[in-house]
mmCIF file of all heavy atoms in Angstrom:
data_model
loop_
_atom_site.group_PDB
_atom_site.id
_atom_site.type_symbol
_atom_site.label_atom_id
_atom_site.label_comp_id
_atom_site.label_asym_id
_atom_site.label_seq_id
_atom_site.Cartn_x
_atom_site.Cartn_y
_atom_site.Cartn_z
ATOM 1 N N PHE A 299 -161.695 -11.219 22.082
ATOM 2 C CA PHE A 299 -161.756 -10.069 21.194
ATOM 3 C C PHE A 299 -163.133 -9.998 20.554
ATOM 4 O O PHE A 299 -163.797 -11.014 20.335
ATOM 5 C CB PHE A 299 -160.705 -10.177 20.086
ATOM 6 C CG PHE A 299 -159.296 -10.073 20.573
ATOM 7 C CD1 PHE A 299 -158.638 -11.195 21.068
ATOM 8 C CD2 PHE A 299 -158.614 -8.874 20.538
ATOM 9 C CE1 PHE A 299 -157.336 -11.113 21.532
ATOM 10 C CE2 PHE A 299 -157.305 -8.779 20.997
ATOM 11 C CZ PHE A 299 -156.671 -9.901 21.490
ATOM 12 N N GLN A 301 -164.990 -8.213 17.087
ATOM 13 C CA GLN A 301 -164.777 -7.503 15.834
ATOM 14 C C GLN A 301 -166.121 -7.192 15.201
ATOM 15 O O GLN A 301 -166.863 -8.118 14.818
ATOM 16 C CB GLN A 301 -163.907 -8.316 14.866
ATOM 17 C CG GLN A 301 -163.535 -7.555 13.614
ATOM 18 C CD GLN A 301 -162.589 -8.328 12.719
ATOM 19 O OE1 GLN A 301 -162.608 -9.553 12.667
ATOM 20 N NE2 GLN A 301 -161.743 -7.597 11.998
ATOM 21 N N SER A 306 -161.550 -3.035 13.027
ATOM 22 C CA SER A 306 -160.461 -3.815 13.612
ATOM 23 C C SER A 306 -160.969 -4.524 14.863
ATOM 24 O O SER A 306 -161.912 -4.052 15.515
ATOM 25 C CB SER A 306 -159.298 -2.903 13.992
ATOM 26 O OG SER A 306 -158.839 -2.169 12.885
ATOM 27 N N PRO A 307 -160.342 -5.626 15.218
ATOM 28 C CA PRO A 307 -160.715 -6.276 16.479
ATOM 29 C C PRO A 307 -160.434 -5.374 17.667
ATOM 30 O O PRO A 307 -159.556 -4.506 17.614
ATOM 31 C CB PRO A 307 -159.814 -7.522 16.504
ATOM 32 C CG PRO A 307 -159.448 -7.759 15.076
ATOM 33 C CD PRO A 307 -159.347 -6.399 14.465
ATOM 34 N N ARG A 309 -159.862 -5.832 21.943
ATOM 35 C CA ARG A 309 -159.777 -6.778 23.046
ATOM 36 C C ARG A 309 -160.760 -6.392 24.142
ATOM 37 O O ARG A 309 -160.846 -5.223 24.535
ATOM 38 C CB ARG A 309 -158.359 -6.835 23.618
ATOM 39 C CG ARG A 309 -158.143 -8.050 24.529
ATOM 40 C CD ARG A 309 -156.706 -8.147 24.992
ATOM 41 N NE ARG A 309 -156.370 -7.041 25.894
ATOM 42 C CZ ARG A 309 -155.152 -6.847 26.390
ATOM 43 N NH1 ARG A 309 -154.168 -7.661 26.051
ATOM 44 N NH2 ARG A 309 -154.924 -5.837 27.198
ATOM 45 N N TYR A 350 -163.786 -13.661 19.169
ATOM 46 C CA TYR A 350 -162.679 -14.608 19.072
ATOM 47 C C TYR A 350 -162.027 -14.800 20.441
ATOM 48 O O TYR A 350 -161.752 -13.819 21.140
ATOM 49 C CB TYR A 350 -161.586 -14.094 18.134
ATOM 50 C CG TYR A 350 -161.978 -13.903 16.697
ATOM 51 C CD1 TYR A 350 -162.419 -12.667 16.228
ATOM 52 C CD2 TYR A 350 -161.866 -14.951 15.779
ATOM 53 C CE1 TYR A 350 -162.760 -12.472 14.901
ATOM 54 C CE2 TYR A 350 -162.202 -14.767 14.438
ATOM 55 C CZ TYR A 350 -162.637 -13.529 14.022
ATOM 56 O OH TYR A 350 -162.973 -13.346 12.699
ATOM 57 N N MET A 352 -158.448 -16.119 22.133
ATOM 58 C CA MET A 352 -157.065 -16.161 21.656
ATOM 59 C C MET A 352 -156.141 -16.526 22.807
ATOM 60 O O MET A 352 -156.297 -16.006 23.913
ATOM 61 C CB MET A 352 -156.655 -14.798 21.095
ATOM 62 C CG MET A 352 -155.273 -14.720 20.456
ATOM 63 S SD MET A 352 -153.921 -14.439 21.635
ATOM 64 C CE MET A 352 -154.048 -12.668 21.855
ATOM 65 N N TRP A 357 -146.217 -19.816 21.532
ATOM 66 C CA TRP A 357 -146.045 -19.289 20.189
ATOM 67 C C TRP A 357 -146.101 -20.445 19.181
ATOM 68 O O TRP A 357 -145.489 -21.487 19.418
ATOM 69 C CB TRP A 357 -144.718 -18.547 20.051
ATOM 70 C CG TRP A 357 -144.551 -17.991 18.673
ATOM 71 C CD1 TRP A 357 -143.747 -18.458 17.679
ATOM 72 C CD2 TRP A 357 -145.290 -16.890 18.115
ATOM 73 N NE1 TRP A 357 -143.931 -17.723 16.530
ATOM 74 C CE2 TRP A 357 -144.858 -16.735 16.772
ATOM 75 C CE3 TRP A 357 -146.265 -16.009 18.594
ATOM 76 C CZ2 TRP A 357 -145.368 -15.747 15.933
ATOM 77 C CZ3 TRP A 357 -146.770 -15.024 17.757
ATOM 78 C CH2 TRP A 357 -146.313 -14.904 16.447
ATOM 79 N N PHE A 359 -149.095 -17.678 18.800
ATOM 80 C CA PHE A 359 -150.387 -17.390 19.407
ATOM 81 C C PHE A 359 -151.469 -17.824 18.413
ATOM 82 O O PHE A 359 -151.260 -17.768 17.189
ATOM 83 C CB PHE A 359 -150.535 -15.898 19.689
ATOM 84 C CG PHE A 359 -149.466 -15.336 20.581
ATOM 85 C CD1 PHE A 359 -149.210 -13.974 20.586
ATOM 86 C CD2 PHE A 359 -148.717 -16.147 21.421
ATOM 87 C CE1 PHE A 359 -148.242 -13.429 21.401
ATOM 88 C CE2 PHE A 359 -147.736 -15.605 22.249
ATOM 89 C CZ PHE A 359 -147.501 -14.244 22.223
ATOM 90 N N PHE A 361 -155.842 -18.025 17.506
ATOM 91 C CA PHE A 361 -157.212 -17.596 17.734
ATOM 92 C C PHE A 361 -158.159 -18.776 17.515
ATOM 93 O O PHE A 361 -157.860 -19.700 16.754
ATOM 94 C CB PHE A 361 -157.600 -16.516 16.729
ATOM 95 C CG PHE A 361 -156.933 -15.196 16.930
ATOM 96 C CD1 PHE A 361 -155.713 -14.932 16.310
ATOM 97 C CD2 PHE A 361 -157.516 -14.212 17.707
ATOM 98 C CE1 PHE A 361 -155.092 -13.695 16.482
ATOM 99 C CE2 PHE A 361 -156.903 -12.980 17.883
ATOM 100 C CZ PHE A 361 -155.687 -12.730 17.262
ATOM 101 N N ARG B 196 -146.549 -6.533 17.357
ATOM 102 C CA ARG B 196 -146.911 -7.718 16.573
ATOM 103 C C ARG B 196 -147.563 -7.320 15.246
ATOM 104 O O ARG B 196 -148.072 -6.219 15.098
ATOM 105 C CB ARG B 196 -147.924 -8.564 17.348
ATOM 106 C CG ARG B 196 -147.997 -8.335 18.838
ATOM 107 C CD ARG B 196 -147.137 -9.290 19.589
ATOM 108 N NE ARG B 196 -147.250 -9.126 21.047
ATOM 109 C CZ ARG B 196 -146.704 -9.960 21.914
ATOM 110 N NH1 ARG B 196 -146.007 -10.996 21.493
ATOM 111 N NH2 ARG B 196 -146.847 -9.752 23.217
ATOM 112 N N GLN B 200 -155.582 -10.946 8.497
ATOM 113 C CA GLN B 200 -156.927 -11.505 8.348
ATOM 114 C C GLN B 200 -157.239 -11.572 6.864
ATOM 115 O O GLN B 200 -157.407 -10.540 6.206
ATOM 116 C CB GLN B 200 -157.951 -10.637 9.076
ATOM 117 C CG GLN B 200 -159.354 -11.213 9.098
ATOM 118 C CD GLN B 200 -160.272 -10.438 10.018
ATOM 119 O OE1 GLN B 200 -160.176 -9.221 10.165
ATOM 120 N NE2 GLN B 200 -161.203 -11.147 10.670
ATOM 121 N N LEU B 206 -158.539 -14.572 12.256
ATOM 122 C CA LEU B 206 -157.320 -13.834 12.564
ATOM 123 C C LEU B 206 -156.136 -14.773 12.723
ATOM 124 O O LEU B 206 -156.281 -15.882 13.253
ATOM 125 C CB LEU B 206 -157.541 -13.048 13.854
ATOM 126 C CG LEU B 206 -158.655 -12.001 13.790
ATOM 127 C CD1 LEU B 206 -159.109 -11.608 15.190
ATOM 128 C CD2 LEU B 206 -158.183 -10.786 13.008
ATOM 129 N N TRP B 208 -151.877 -14.667 13.848
ATOM 130 C CA TRP B 208 -150.664 -13.963 14.250
ATOM 131 C C TRP B 208 -149.563 -14.249 13.236
ATOM 132 O O TRP B 208 -149.357 -15.396 12.847
ATOM 133 C CB TRP B 208 -150.192 -14.433 15.625
ATOM 134 C CG TRP B 208 -151.061 -13.965 16.729
ATOM 135 C CD1 TRP B 208 -152.089 -14.636 17.294
ATOM 136 C CD2 TRP B 208 -150.988 -12.710 17.399
ATOM 137 N NE1 TRP B 208 -152.672 -13.879 18.272
ATOM 138 C CE2 TRP B 208 -152.030 -12.696 18.373
ATOM 139 C CE3 TRP B 208 -150.166 -11.600 17.284
ATOM 140 C CZ2 TRP B 208 -152.243 -11.605 19.206
ATOM 141 C CZ3 TRP B 208 -150.386 -10.513 18.126
ATOM 142 C CH2 TRP B 208 -151.402 -10.522 19.066
ATOM 143 N N ASN B 211 -143.874 -11.436 15.859
ATOM 144 C CA ASN B 211 -143.702 -10.669 17.095
ATOM 145 C C ASN B 211 -142.294 -10.111 17.151
ATOM 146 O O ASN B 211 -141.352 -10.747 16.651
ATOM 147 C CB ASN B 211 -143.817 -11.594 18.331
ATOM 148 C CG ASN B 211 -145.227 -11.996 18.668
ATOM 149 O OD1 ASN B 211 -146.179 -11.564 18.054
ATOM 150 N ND2 ASN B 211 -145.345 -12.882 19.648
ATOM 151 N N TYR B 221 -141.898 -15.855 14.290
ATOM 152 C CA TYR B 221 -142.667 -15.854 13.057
ATOM 153 C C TYR B 221 -143.574 -17.077 12.987
ATOM 154 O O TYR B 221 -143.245 -18.159 13.470
ATOM 155 C CB TYR B 221 -141.739 -15.877 11.839
ATOM 156 C CG TYR B 221 -140.843 -14.678 11.718
ATOM 157 C CD1 TYR B 221 -139.538 -14.703 12.211
ATOM 158 C CD2 TYR B 221 -141.286 -13.520 11.099
ATOM 159 C CE1 TYR B 221 -138.709 -13.610 12.098
ATOM 160 C CE2 TYR B 221 -140.461 -12.413 10.979
ATOM 161 C CZ TYR B 221 -139.177 -12.464 11.486
ATOM 162 O OH TYR B 221 -138.352 -11.375 11.373
ATOM 163 N N TYR B 256 -152.635 -6.130 10.316
ATOM 164 C CA TYR B 256 -152.813 -5.220 11.440
ATOM 165 C C TYR B 256 -151.542 -5.117 12.267
ATOM 166 O O TYR B 256 -150.884 -6.138 12.542
ATOM 167 C CB TYR B 256 -153.922 -5.722 12.370
ATOM 168 C CG TYR B 256 -155.314 -5.744 11.798
ATOM 169 C CD1 TYR B 256 -155.871 -6.937 11.347
ATOM 170 C CD2 TYR B 256 -156.080 -4.583 11.735
ATOM 171 C CE1 TYR B 256 -157.177 -6.971 10.847
ATOM 172 C CE2 TYR B 256 -157.380 -4.609 11.236
ATOM 173 C CZ TYR B 256 -157.913 -5.804 10.793
ATOM 174 O OH TYR B 256 -159.196 -5.837 10.301
ATOM 175 N N GLY B 262 -152.542 -7.513 22.205
ATOM 176 C CA GLY B 262 -153.774 -7.173 21.515
ATOM 177 C C GLY B 262 -154.524 -6.023 22.143
ATOM 178 O O GLY B 262 -155.690 -5.805 21.811
ATOM 179 N N GLY B 266 -154.205 -1.274 14.933
ATOM 180 C CA GLY B 266 -154.373 -0.268 13.900
ATOM 181 C C GLY B 266 -155.591 -0.571 13.056
ATOM 182 O O GLY B 266 -156.320 -1.543 13.319
ATOM 183 N N GLN B 267 -155.780 0.238 12.020
ATOM 184 C CA GLN B 267 -156.934 0.039 11.129
ATOM 185 C C GLN B 267 -156.660 -1.005 10.052
ATOM 186 O O GLN B 267 -157.581 -1.464 9.394
ATOM 187 C CB GLN B 267 -157.342 1.380 10.490
ATOM 188 C CG GLN B 267 -156.595 1.763 9.228
ATOM 189 C CD GLN B 267 -155.144 2.173 9.484
ATOM 190 O OE1 GLN B 267 -154.722 2.388 10.617
ATOM 191 N NE2 GLN B 267 -154.383 2.329 8.400
#
Side-chain angles (χ1 to χ4, degrees):
Chain A
F299 293 84
Q301 186 176 31
S306 303
R309 194 175 68 184
Y350 297 94
M352 185 276 279
W357 181 255
F359 302 159
F361 290 89
Chain B
R196 340 266 183 172
Q200 186 171 35
L206 298 161
W208 288 95
N211 284 356
Y221 298 95
Y256 294 101
Q267 86 288 348

